[in-house]
Amino acid sequence: MNFVGGYRFNDYFFIGAGAGYEYLDGLYYTSYEYHSGAGNSYHGTSNDVRNNIKVFGRLKANLTNTKVSPFFAVDLGANIGLSSNEIKMANGFYFEPGFGCDFAISPKQAIYLMLAYNGIGYDYEAFDTTLGSAGHEMRHALAGKFAIHLGFRF
């Protein structure tokens, strides 16, 4: 859930800032164990639920000035985890480019639908007992997901 406020320079260009809330059920740790004598292995993962606050800027460019107007948009901002846990998971800079369409209700109001790709830095713990006592490490990766936005512009 997001709220974006900003300024529409003309019928084609918008710049704004926003804040939002995100509920995340994501990867917390992964583990791998191999037992050479038994010849078997185990791979496991654990997820954790997090609440995140997002703050971001948005640039939006409409391609037409018609009742149905396609657009490109990009959000750039920070995701702030509200957990006290030392592993913050999806925390830090994120980007979200998207393509959508405004459906005008009146000259000042529209419903919009947008498909976007959300990319964010992601931290998790990895355990690998095949490496002995050195088999614990923090890993950082780029996590991505597709998002569908449905909104109201006024």
Side-chain angles (χ1 to χ4, degrees):
M1 179 173 23
N2 294 326
F3 175 80
V4 181
Y7 181 74
R8 178 171 290 285
F9 289 94
N10 54 40
D11 291 332
Y12 301 97
F13 187 69
F14 170 87
I15 187 168
Y21 166 81
E22 180 179 58
Y23 173 85
L24 174 68
D25 183 8
L27 179 66
Y28 181 67
Y29 75 81
T30 182
S31 65
Y32 179 78
E33 295 179 29
Y34 178 75
H35 303 284
S36 60
N40 58 10
S41 64
Y42 167 79
H43 181 269
T45 60
S46 176
N47 287 4
D48 191 19
V49 173
R50 299 293 168 93
N51 295 297
N52 294 326
I53 298 294
K54 300 176 357 176
V55 291
F56 57 93
R58 175 173 289 174
L59 297 173
K60 179 182 171 192
N62 285 75
L63 303 177
T64 65
N65 181 17
T66 57
K67 284 186 76 66
V68 178
S69 178
F71 65 83
F72 289 103
V74 64
D75 291 352
L76 300 172
N79 206 19
I80 303 161
L82 300 179
S83 172
S84 61
N85 197 323
E86 89 180 41
I87 300 174
K88 296 296 185 187
M89 293 182 358
N91 195 46
F93 175 77
Y94 83 94
F95 62 96
E96 188 174 87
F99 178 75
C101 200
D102 285 330
F103 302 94
I105 299 170
S106 73
K108 299 280 186 189
Q109 298 175 336
I111 293 174
Y112 69 88
L113 183 65
M114 179 172 72
L115 176 63
Y117 177 80
N118 182 283
I120 187 168
Y122 197 91
D123 296 323
Y124 65 97
E125 279 187 290
F127 300 94
D128 187 345
T129 60
T130 61
L131 300 175
S133 62
H136 168 78
E137 66 180 343
M138 289 294 293
R139 291 190 180 164
H140 186 77
L142 177 66
K145 65 183 176 191
F146 285 99
I148 297 173
H149 295 267
L150 176 63
F152 181 69
R153 178 178 57 89
F154 56 94

